[in-house]
Coordinates of all heavy atoms in Angstrom, one line a residue:
M1 N 0.8 -1.2 0.0 CA 0.0 0.0 0.0 C 0.8 1.3 0.0 O 0.4 2.3 -0.5 CB -0.9 0.0 1.2 CG -2.3 -0.1 0.8 SD -3.6 0.2 2.2 CE -2.9 -0.4 3.6
I2 N 2.0 1.2 0.6 CA 2.9 2.4 0.6 C 3.2 2.9 -0.8 O 3.0 4.1 -1.1 CB 4.2 2.1 1.4 CG1 3.9 1.9 2.9 CG2 5.2 3.2 1.2 CD1 5.1 1.4 3.7
K3 N 3.5 2.0 -1.7 CA 3.8 2.3 -3.1 C 2.6 3.0 -3.7 O 2.7 4.0 -4.4 CB 4.3 1.1 -3.9 CG 4.6 1.4 -5.3 CD 5.1 0.2 -6.0 CE 5.5 0.5 -7.4 NZ 6.0 -0.6 -8.1
E4 N 1.4 2.4 -3.6 CA 0.2 2.9 -4.2 C -0.2 4.2 -3.7 O -0.7 5.1 -4.4 CB -0.9 1.9 -4.1 CG -0.8 0.6 -4.9 CD 0.2 -0.4 -4.3 OE1 0.6 -0.2 -3.1 OE2 0.6 -1.3 -5.0
V5 N 0.0 4.5 -2.4 CA -0.4 5.7 -1.8 C 0.6 6.8 -1.9 O 0.3 8.0 -2.3 CB -0.8 5.5 -0.3 CG1 -1.1 6.8 0.4 CG2 -2.0 4.6 -0.2
Y6 N 1.9 6.5 -1.7 CA 3.0 7.5 -1.6 C 4.0 7.4 -2.7 O 4.8 8.3 -2.9 CB 3.7 7.4 -0.3 CG 2.8 7.6 0.9 CD1 2.4 6.5 1.7 CD2 2.4 8.9 1.3 CE1 1.6 6.7 2.8 CE2 1.5 9.1 2.4 CZ 1.2 8.0 3.1 OH 0.4 8.2 4.2
G7 N 4.0 6.4 -3.5 CA 4.8 6.3 -4.7 C 6.1 5.5 -4.4 O 6.4 5.0 -3.3
D8 N 6.9 5.3 -5.5 CA 8.1 4.5 -5.5 C 9.2 5.0 -4.5 O 9.8 4.3 -3.8 CB 8.7 4.4 -6.9 CG 7.9 3.5 -7.8 OD1 7.2 2.6 -7.3 OD2 7.9 3.7 -9.0
R9 N 9.3 6.3 -4.5 CA 10.3 7.0 -3.7 C 10.0 6.7 -2.2 O 10.9 6.3 -1.4 CB 10.4 8.5 -3.9 CG 11.4 9.2 -3.1 CD 11.5 10.6 -3.5 NE 12.4 11.3 -2.6 CZ 12.4 12.6 -2.5 NH1 11.6 13.4 -3.2 NH2 13.2 13.2 -1.6
A10 N 8.8 6.8 -1.8 CA 8.4 6.5 -0.4 C 8.7 5.0 -0.1 O 9.1 4.7 1.1 CB 7.0 6.9 -0.1
L11 N 8.4 4.2 -1.0 CA 8.6 2.7 -0.8 C 10.1 2.5 -0.5 O 10.5 1.8 0.4 CB 8.1 1.9 -1.9 CG 8.2 0.4 -1.7 CD1 7.4 -0.1 -0.5 CD2 7.7 -0.3 -3.0
K12 N 10.9 3.1 -1.3 CA 12.4 3.0 -1.2 C 12.8 3.5 0.2 O 13.6 2.9 0.9 CB 13.1 3.7 -2.3 CG 14.6 3.5 -2.2 CD 15.3 4.2 -3.4 CE 16.8 4.1 -3.2 NZ 17.5 4.8 -4.3
E13 N 12.3 4.6 0.6 CA 12.6 5.2 1.9 C 12.1 4.3 3.0 O 12.8 4.1 4.1 CB 12.0 6.6 2.0 CG 12.6 7.6 1.2 CD 11.9 8.9 1.1 OE1 10.8 9.0 1.7 OE2 12.4 9.8 0.4
F14 N 11.0 3.6 2.9 CA 10.5 2.7 3.9 C 11.4 1.5 4.0 O 11.7 1.1 5.1 CB 9.1 2.2 3.5 CG 8.5 1.2 4.4 CD1 8.1 1.6 5.7 CD2 8.3 -0.1 4.0 CE1 7.6 0.7 6.6 CE2 7.8 -1.0 4.9 CZ 7.4 -0.6 6.2
Y15 N 11.9 1.0 2.8 CA 12.8 -0.2 2.9 C 14.1 0.3 3.6 O 14.7 -0.5 4.4 CB 13.1 -0.7 1.5 CG 12.0 -1.5 0.8 CD1 11.8 -1.4 -0.5 CD2 11.2 -2.3 1.6 CE1 10.8 -2.1 -1.1 CE2 10.2 -3.1 0.9 CZ 10.0 -2.9 -0.4 OH 9.0 -3.7 -1.0
Q16 N 14.6 1.5 3.3 CA 15.8 2.0 4.0 C 15.6 2.1 5.5 O 16.4 1.7 6.3 CB 16.2 3.3 3.4 CG 16.7 3.2 2.0 CD 16.9 4.6 1.3 OE1 16.4 5.6 1.7 NE2 17.8 4.6 0.3
F17 N 14.4 2.5 5.9 CA 14.0 2.6 7.3 C 14.1 1.2 7.9 O 14.6 1.0 9.0 CB 12.7 3.3 7.5 CG 12.2 3.2 9.0 CD1 12.8 4.0 9.9 CD2 11.3 2.2 9.3 CE1 12.4 3.8 11.3 CE2 10.9 2.1 10.6 CZ 11.4 2.9 11.6
L18 N 13.4 0.2 7.3 CA 13.4 -1.1 7.8 C 14.8 -1.7 8.0 O 15.2 -2.3 9.0 CB 12.6 -2.1 6.9 CG 11.1 -1.9 6.9 CD1 10.5 -2.9 5.9 CD2 10.6 -2.1 8.3
D19 N 15.7 -1.4 7.0 CA 17.1 -1.8 7.1 C 17.8 -1.2 8.3 O 18.5 -1.9 9.0 CB 17.8 -1.5 5.8 CG 19.2 -2.0 5.7 OD1 19.4 -3.2 6.1 OD2 20.1 -1.2 5.4
Y20 N 17.6 0.1 8.4 CA 18.1 0.8 9.6 C 17.6 0.2 10.9 O 18.3 0.0 11.8 CB 17.8 2.3 9.5 CG 17.9 3.0 10.8 CD1 19.1 3.5 11.3 CD2 16.7 3.3 11.6 CE1 19.2 4.2 12.5 CE2 16.8 3.9 12.8 CZ 18.0 4.4 13.2 OH 18.1 5.0 14.4
F21 N 16.3 0.0 11.0 CA 15.6 -0.4 12.2 C 16.1 -1.8 12.7 O 16.3 -2.0 13.9 CB 14.1 -0.5 11.9 CG 13.3 -0.8 13.1 CD1 13.2 0.0 14.2 CD2 12.5 -2.0 13.2 CE1 12.5 -0.3 15.3 CE2 11.7 -2.3 14.3 CZ 11.7 -1.4 15.4
V22 N 16.4 -2.7 11.8 CA 16.9 -4.0 12.2 C 18.4 -4.2 12.1 O 18.9 -5.2 12.5 CB 16.2 -5.1 11.3 CG1 14.7 -5.1 11.4 CG2 16.6 -5.1 9.8
S23 N 19.1 -3.1 11.7 CA 20.5 -3.3 11.5 C 21.4 -3.4 12.8 O 22.5 -4.0 12.7 CB 21.0 -2.1 10.6 OG 20.9 -0.9 11.3
D24 N 21.0 -2.7 13.8 CA 21.9 -2.7 15.0 C 21.0 -2.7 16.3 O 20.7 -1.7 16.9 CB 22.7 -1.4 15.0 CG 23.8 -1.4 16.0 OD1 23.9 -2.3 16.8 OD2 24.5 -0.4 16.1
P25 N 20.7 -3.9 16.8 CA 19.8 -4.0 17.9 C 20.3 -3.5 19.2 O 19.6 -3.3 20.2 CB 19.5 -5.5 18.0 CG 20.6 -6.2 17.3 CD 21.1 -5.2 16.2
D26 N 21.6 -3.2 19.3 CA 22.2 -2.7 20.5 C 22.2 -1.2 20.6 O 22.7 -0.6 21.5 CB 23.7 -3.2 20.6 CG 23.7 -4.7 20.8 OD1 22.8 -5.3 21.4 OD2 24.7 -5.3 20.3
T27 N 21.6 -0.6 19.6 CA 21.5 0.9 19.6 C 20.1 1.4 19.8 O 19.1 0.8 19.3 CB 22.0 1.4 18.2 OG1 23.3 0.9 18.0 CG2 22.0 2.9 18.1
W28 N 19.9 2.4 20.6 CA 18.5 3.0 20.8 C 17.9 3.3 19.5 O 18.5 3.8 18.5 CB 18.6 4.2 21.6 CG 18.9 3.9 23.1 CD1 19.3 2.7 23.6 CD2 18.9 4.8 24.2 NE1 19.5 2.8 25.0 CE2 19.3 4.1 25.3 CE3 18.6 6.2 24.3 CZ2 19.4 4.7 26.6 CZ3 18.7 6.8 25.5 CH2 19.0 6.1 26.6
G29 N 16.6 3.1 19.4 CA 15.8 3.4 18.2 C 15.8 2.3 17.1 O 15.3 2.5 16.0
H30 N 16.4 1.2 17.5 CA 16.5 0.0 16.6 C 15.7 -1.1 17.3 O 15.4 -1.1 18.5 CB 17.9 -0.4 16.4 CG 18.7 0.5 15.6 ND1 19.2 1.7 16.1 CD2 19.2 0.4 14.3 CE1 19.9 2.3 15.2 NE2 19.9 1.5 14.1
Y31 N 15.3 -2.1 16.4 CA 14.6 -3.3 16.9 C 15.5 -4.0 17.9 O 16.7 -4.3 17.7 CB 14.3 -4.2 15.7 CG 13.7 -5.5 16.1 CD1 12.4 -5.6 16.6 CD2 14.4 -6.7 16.0 CE1 11.9 -6.8 17.0 CE2 13.9 -7.9 16.4 CZ 12.6 -7.9 16.9 OH 12.1 -9.1 17.3
Y32 N 14.9 -4.4 19.1 CA 15.6 -5.1 20.1 C 15.0 -6.5 20.2 O 13.8 -6.7 20.4 CB 15.4 -4.4 21.5 CG 16.1 -5.1 22.6 CD1 17.5 -5.1 22.7 CD2 15.4 -5.9 23.5 CE1 18.1 -5.8 23.7 CE2 16.0 -6.6 24.5 CZ 17.4 -6.5 24.6 OH 18.0 -7.2 25.6
H33 N 15.8 -7.5 20.0 CA 15.4 -8.9 20.1 C 15.1 -9.3 21.5 O 15.9 -9.2 22.4 CB 16.5 -9.8 19.5 CG 16.9 -9.5 18.1 ND1 16.6 -10.3 17.1 CD2 17.5 -8.4 17.6 CE1 17.1 -9.8 16.0 NE2 17.7 -8.6 16.3
S34 N 13.9 -9.9 21.7 CA 13.6 -10.5 23.0 C 14.3 -11.8 23.1 O 14.8 -12.4 22.2 CB 12.1 -10.7 23.1 OG 11.7 -11.8 22.3
D35 N 14.4 -12.4 24.4 CA 15.0 -13.7 24.6 C 14.3 -14.7 23.8 O 15.0 -15.6 23.2 CB 15.0 -14.0 26.1 CG 16.0 -13.1 26.9 OD1 16.9 -12.5 26.3 OD2 15.8 -13.0 28.1
K36 N 13.0 -14.7 23.7 CA 12.3 -15.7 22.9 C 12.6 -15.6 21.4 O 12.8 -16.6 20.8 CB 10.7 -15.5 23.1 CG 9.9 -16.4 22.2 CD 8.7 -16.8 22.8 CE 7.8 -17.7 21.9 NZ 8.4 -18.7 21.1
I37 N 12.7 -14.4 20.9 CA 13.1 -14.2 19.5 C 14.5 -14.8 19.3 O 14.8 -15.5 18.3 CB 13.0 -12.8 19.0 CG1 11.5 -12.3 19.0 CG2 13.7 -12.5 17.7 CD1 10.7 -13.0 18.0
N38 N 15.4 -14.5 20.2 CA 16.8 -15.0 20.1 C 16.8 -16.5 20.0 O 17.5 -17.1 19.2 CB 17.7 -14.5 21.2 CG 18.0 -13.0 21.0 OD1 18.0 -12.5 19.9 ND2 18.3 -12.4 22.1
A39 N 16.0 -17.2 20.9 CA 15.9 -18.6 20.9 C 15.3 -19.2 19.7 O 15.8 -20.1 19.1 CB 15.2 -19.1 22.2
D40 N 14.2 -18.5 19.2 CA 13.5 -19.0 18.0 C 14.4 -18.8 16.8 O 14.4 -19.7 15.9 CB 12.2 -18.2 17.8 CG 11.1 -18.6 18.8 OD1 11.3 -19.6 19.5 OD2 10.1 -17.8 18.9
T41 N 15.2 -17.7 16.8 CA 16.1 -17.5 15.6 C 17.1 -18.6 15.6 O 17.4 -19.1 14.5 CB 16.8 -16.1 15.8 OG1 15.8 -15.1 15.8 CG2 17.7 -15.8 14.7
K42 N 17.7 -19.0 16.7 CA 18.7 -20.0 16.7 C 18.0 -21.3 16.2 O 18.7 -22.1 15.4 CB 19.3 -20.2 18.1 CG 20.3 -21.3 18.1 CD 21.1 -21.3 19.4 CE 22.1 -22.5 19.5 NZ 22.4 -23.3 18.3
T43 N 16.8 -21.6 16.7 CA 16.1 -22.9 16.3 C 15.9 -22.9 14.7 O 16.2 -23.9 14.1 CB 14.8 -23.0 17.0 OG1 15.0 -23.0 18.4 CG2 14.0 -24.2 16.5
I44 N 15.5 -21.8 14.2 CA 15.2 -21.7 12.8 C 16.5 -21.8 12.0 O 16.6 -22.4 11.0 CB 14.5 -20.4 12.4 CG1 13.0 -20.5 13.0 CG2 14.4 -20.1 10.9 CD1 12.3 -19.2 13.0
A45 N 17.6 -21.1 12.5 CA 18.9 -21.1 11.8 C 19.4 -22.5 11.8 O 20.0 -23.0 10.8 CB 19.8 -20.2 12.5
D46 N 19.3 -23.3 12.9 CA 19.8 -24.6 12.9 C 19.0 -25.5 12.0 O 19.6 -26.4 11.3 CB 19.7 -25.2 14.4 CG 20.7 -24.6 15.3 OD1 21.6 -23.9 14.9 OD2 20.5 -24.7 16.5
A47 N 17.7 -25.3 11.9 CA 16.8 -26.2 11.1 C 17.0 -25.9 9.6 O 16.7 -26.7 8.8 CB 15.4 -26.0 11.5
T48 N 17.4 -24.7 9.3 CA 17.5 -24.3 7.8 C 19.0 -24.0 7.4 O 19.2 -23.4 6.4 CB 16.7 -23.1 7.6 OG1 17.2 -22.0 8.4 CG2 15.2 -23.3 7.9
Q49 N 19.9 -24.6 8.1 CA 21.3 -24.2 7.8 C 21.8 -24.6 6.4 O 22.7 -24.0 5.8 CB 22.3 -24.9 8.8 CG 22.2 -26.4 8.9 CD 23.2 -26.9 9.9 OE1 24.2 -26.3 10.3 NE2 22.8 -28.0 10.5
N50 N 21.1 -25.6 5.8 CA 21.5 -25.9 4.4 C 20.6 -25.3 3.3 O 20.7 -25.6 2.1 CB 21.5 -27.4 4.2 CG 22.5 -28.1 5.0 OD1 23.7 -27.6 5.2 ND2 22.2 -29.2 5.6
L51 N 19.7 -24.4 3.7 CA 18.8 -23.7 2.8 C 19.5 -22.7 2.1 O 20.2 -21.8 2.6 CB 17.6 -23.1 3.6 CG 16.6 -22.3 2.8 CD1 15.7 -23.3 2.0 CD2 15.7 -21.5 3.7
D52 N 19.4 -22.7 0.7 CA 19.9 -21.6 -0.1 C 18.7 -20.6 -0.2 O 17.7 -20.8 -0.9 CB 20.2 -22.1 -1.5 CG 20.7 -21.1 -2.4 OD1 20.4 -19.9 -2.3 OD2 21.5 -21.5 -3.4
F53 N 18.9 -19.5 0.5 CA 17.8 -18.5 0.7 C 17.4 -17.9 -0.7 O 16.3 -17.6 -0.9 CB 18.2 -17.4 1.7 CG 17.0 -16.6 2.2 CD1 16.0 -17.2 3.0 CD2 16.9 -15.3 1.8 CE1 14.9 -16.5 3.4 CE2 15.8 -14.6 2.2 CZ 14.8 -15.1 3.0
K54 N 18.4 -17.7 -1.5 CA 18.1 -17.1 -2.9 C 17.2 -18.1 -3.6 O 16.2 -17.7 -4.3 CB 19.4 -16.8 -3.6 CG 19.2 -16.2 -5.0 CD 20.5 -15.8 -5.6 CE 20.3 -15.1 -6.9 NZ 21.5 -14.7 -7.6
E55 N 17.5 -19.4 -3.6 CA 16.7 -20.4 -4.2 C 15.3 -20.4 -3.6 O 14.3 -20.6 -4.3 CB 17.4 -21.7 -4.2 CG 18.5 -21.8 -5.1 CD 18.2 -21.6 -6.6 OE1 17.2 -22.2 -7.0 OE2 18.9 -20.8 -7.2
Y56 N 15.3 -20.3 -2.3 CA 14.0 -20.3 -1.6 C 13.1 -19.2 -2.1 O 11.9 -19.3 -2.3 CB 14.2 -20.2 -0.1 CG 12.9 -19.9 0.7 CD1 12.1 -21.0 1.0 CD2 12.6 -18.7 1.2 CE1 10.9 -20.8 1.7 CE2 11.4 -18.4 1.9 CZ 10.6 -19.5 2.2 OH 9.4 -19.3 2.9
L57 N 13.7 -18.0 -2.2 CA 12.9 -16.8 -2.7 C 12.5 -17.0 -4.2 O 11.3 -16.7 -4.5 CB 13.7 -15.5 -2.6 CG 14.0 -15.1 -1.2 CD1 14.9 -13.8 -1.2 CD2 12.7 -14.8 -0.4
K58 N 13.3 -17.7 -5.0 CA 12.9 -18.0 -6.4 C 11.7 -18.9 -6.4 O 10.7 -18.7 -7.1 CB 14.0 -18.7 -7.1 CG 15.1 -17.8 -7.6 CD 16.1 -18.7 -8.3 CE 17.1 -17.9 -9.2 NZ 18.1 -18.8 -9.8
G59 N 11.7 -19.9 -5.5 CA 10.6 -20.8 -5.4 C 9.3 -20.2 -4.9 O 8.2 -20.4 -5.4
L60 N 9.5 -19.3 -4.0 CA 8.4 -18.5 -3.4 C 7.7 -17.6 -4.5 O 6.5 -17.6 -4.7 CB 8.8 -17.6 -2.2 CG 7.7 -16.8 -1.6 CD1 6.6 -17.6 -1.1 CD2 8.4 -16.0 -0.4
K61 N 8.6 -17.0 -5.3 CA 8.1 -16.2 -6.4 C 7.3 -17.0 -7.4 O 6.2 -16.6 -7.8 CB 9.3 -15.5 -7.1 CG 8.9 -14.6 -8.3 CD 10.1 -14.0 -9.0 CE 9.8 -13.2 -10.2 NZ 10.9 -12.6 -10.8
K62 N 7.8 -18.2 -7.8 CA 7.1 -19.1 -8.7 C 5.7 -19.5 -8.1 O 4.7 -19.5 -8.8 CB 7.9 -20.3 -9.0 CG 9.1 -20.1 -9.9 CD 9.9 -21.4 -10.1 CE 11.1 -21.1 -11.0 NZ 11.8 -22.4 -11.2
E63 N 5.7 -19.8 -6.8 CA 4.5 -20.2 -6.1 C 3.5 -19.1 -6.2 O 2.3 -19.3 -6.4 CB 4.8 -20.6 -4.7 CG 3.6 -21.2 -4.0 CD 4.0 -21.6 -2.5 OE1 5.1 -22.2 -2.4 OE2 3.2 -21.4 -1.6
L64 N 3.9 -17.9 -5.9 CA 3.0 -16.8 -5.9 C 2.4 -16.5 -7.3 O 1.2 -16.2 -7.4 CB 3.7 -15.5 -5.4 CG 4.0 -15.5 -3.9 CD1 4.9 -14.3 -3.5 CD2 2.8 -15.6 -3.0
I65 N 3.2 -16.7 -8.3 CA 2.8 -16.5 -9.7 C 1.7 -17.6 -10.0 O 0.7 -17.3 -10.6 CB 4.0 -16.5 -10.7 CG1 4.8 -15.3 -10.5 CG2 3.5 -16.7 -12.1 CD1 6.1 -15.3 -11.3
E66 N 2.0 -18.8 -9.6 CA 1.1 -19.9 -9.9 C -0.2 -19.7 -9.2 O -1.3 -19.9 -9.7 CB 1.7 -21.2 -9.5 CG 2.7 -21.7 -10.5 CD 2.2 -21.9 -11.9 OE1 1.1 -22.4 -12.1 OE2 2.8 -21.4 -12.8
Q67 N -0.2 -19.2 -8.0 CA -1.4 -18.9 -7.2 C -2.3 -17.8 -7.9 O -3.5 -17.9 -8.0 CB -1.1 -18.5 -5.8 CG -0.6 -19.6 -4.9 CD -0.3 -19.1 -3.5 OE1 -0.5 -18.0 -3.1 NE2 0.3 -20.0 -2.7
D68 N -1.6 -16.8 -8.4 CA -2.3 -15.8 -9.2 C -2.9 -16.3 -10.5 O -4.1 -16.0 -10.8 CB -1.3 -14.6 -9.5 CG -1.1 -13.7 -8.4 OD1 -1.8 -13.8 -7.3 OD2 -0.2 -12.8 -8.5
K69 N -2.2 -17.2 -11.1 CA -2.8 -17.8 -12.4 C -4.0 -18.6 -12.0 O -5.0 -18.6 -12.7 CB -1.7 -18.7 -13.0 CG -0.6 -17.9 -13.7 CD 0.4 -18.9 -14.3 CE 1.5 -18.1 -15.0 NZ 2.5 -19.1 -15.6
Q70 N -3.9 -19.4 -10.9 CA -5.1 -20.2 -10.5 C -6.3 -19.4 -10.2 O -7.4 -19.8 -10.4 CB -4.7 -21.1 -9.4 CG -3.7 -22.2 -9.8 CD -3.2 -23.1 -8.6 OE1 -3.6 -22.8 -7.4 NE2 -2.4 -24.0 -8.8
K71 N -6.0 -18.2 -9.6 CA -7.2 -17.3 -9.3 C -7.7 -16.6 -10.5 O -8.7 -15.9 -10.4 CB -6.7 -16.3 -8.3 CG -6.3 -16.8 -6.9 CD -5.8 -15.7 -6.0 CE -5.2 -16.3 -4.7 NZ -4.6 -15.2 -4.0
G72 N -7.0 -16.7 -11.6 CA -7.4 -16.1 -12.8 C -7.1 -14.6 -12.9 O -7.6 -13.8 -13.6
R73 N -6.1 -14.2 -12.1 CA -5.7 -12.8 -12.0 C -4.9 -12.5 -13.3 O -4.0 -13.2 -13.7 CB -4.8 -12.6 -10.8 CG -4.3 -11.2 -10.6 CD -3.6 -11.0 -9.3 NE -3.0 -9.7 -9.3 CZ -2.0 -9.4 -8.6 NH1 -1.4 -10.3 -7.8 NH2 -1.4 -8.2 -8.6
D74 N -5.2 -11.4 -13.9 CA -4.5 -11.0 -15.1 C -3.2 -10.2 -14.8 O -3.0 -9.6 -13.9 CB -5.4 -10.0 -16.0 CG -6.6 -10.7 -16.5 OD1 -6.5 -11.9 -16.8 OD2 -7.7 -10.1 -16.6

């Protein structure tokens, strides 16, 4: 919705903000990980250590396209 309401430039600025927000959890004004998130992150990292994330995103993109085709979306 950000892109549709505010345009491409605002979307880019939002992505930059998200990158800033998650980039340094030890600094004020940034996302701070709770103990539960830290534990969950380790569990997920251990379970997916052999996952090629780029390939995962490619597969996700294909899946989303197929879902749109099945819905008849132009």
Side-chain angles (χ1 to χ4, degrees):
M1 244 190 329
I2 292 171
K3 181 178 178 176
E4 289 78 11
V5 174
Y6 300 105
D8 289 333
R9 182 173 171 199
L11 183 61
K12 183 178 179 182
E13 290 170 356
F14 178 71
Y15 286 144
Q16 289 171 340
F17 170 77
L18 287 178
D19 185 49
Y20 160 82
F21 184 65
V22 300
S23 67
D24 189 2
D26 295 325
T27 303
W28 287 9
H30 290 73
Y31 173 73
Y32 179 75
H33 302 248
S34 68
D35 291 340
K36 173 146 178 41
I37 292 293
N38 286 336
D40 290 349
T41 299
K42 180 168 178 11
T43 300
I44 292 168
D46 290 345
T48 61
Q49 63 183 328
N50 293 323
L51 177 73
D52 181 334
F53 196 69
K54 185 176 182 177
E55 288 299 315
Y56 171 79
L57 291 177
K58 280 180 165 178
L60 180 58
K61 180 180 177 180
K62 286 180 183 178
E63 184 177 323
L64 292 171
I65 290 169
E66 285 303 313
Q67 287 177 8
D68 282 349
K69 286 179 182 177
Q70 290 175 1
K71 293 176 188 174
R73 183 173 169 204
D74 293 329

